[in-house]
Amino acid sequence: MVGDAVPERWFTGFGYGNWREWVVYTWDDYFPHMGPQVWPPHNLFLQAWVDAGLIALALTIALVTLPIVASIRRIAEAHTAPLLSAVTVRRAIVFAGLVWVLFHGMADTTSFLGDNHTIPFVAILTAVALAPRPAERSATP
């Protein structure tokens, strides 16, 4: 359904909340002889696009990929540490949490960051992944 809607609203999407109207309007084309049900796109990136368009899609992709890339870089920096050291385990936990959010968002999402109760979890993981390393922190008086 989202793929068929892209040519009509490729830049702006539908506007937040208007996806529901599109689903009801086109339901019979996809599911004849079934009562309408309003389903989200069930994809983190498609949900961002239908809610707020191409710019929101780009921002969502950045919001998801930047912390994962930062987390991978942090893991690579710890290559000399023992495999089960505290530093390596902490970095692996942050990476696993961020990747879980991405994978979960590819098949089941209702908003930009999935369910509302995951937003603090994602925010903390993102902050940890993007926080400067101790050597990068500037000395403050």
Side-chain angles (χ1 to χ4, degrees):
M1 292 176 89
V2 174
D4 289 343
V6 169
E8 291 182 31
R9 294 179 173 90
W10 68 272
F11 186 74
T12 61
F14 287 90
Y16 195 77
N18 294 328
W19 170 250
R20 299 173 65 84
E21 292 177 22
W22 174 261
V23 170
V24 171
Y25 178 73
T26 60
W27 183 263
D28 287 336
D29 297 341
Y30 297 94
F31 305 100
H33 313 297
M34 251 179 97
Q37 299 177 27
V38 180
W39 294 333
H42 285 85
N43 181 291
L44 180 67
F45 300 128
L46 293 178
Q47 185 72 53
W49 177 79
V50 300
D51 282 343
L54 200 57
I55 294 170
L57 172 61
L59 292 173
T60 302
I61 290 170
L63 182 66
V64 170
T65 57
L66 288 177
I68 291 174
V69 169
S71 183
I72 291 170
R73 291 184 67 183
R74 292 286 172 89
I75 290 171
E77 291 168 0
H79 70 279
T80 58
L83 183 61
L84 294 177
S85 68
V87 144
T88 307
V89 170
R90 281 193 306 261
R91 292 176 183 187
I93 289 170
V94 170
F95 173 75
L98 290 167
V99 169
W100 172 82
V101 170
L102 173 62
F103 285 163
H104 181 264
M106 291 296 96
D108 183 23
T109 185
T110 56
S111 190
F112 291 117
L113 291 173
D115 298 325
N116 288 335
H117 64 275
T118 64
I119 293 174
F121 174 71
V122 173
I124 290 168
L125 290 175
T126 299
V128 170
L130 297 176
R133 293 184 308 260
E136 292 177 346
R137 293 184 185 141
S138 62
T140 55

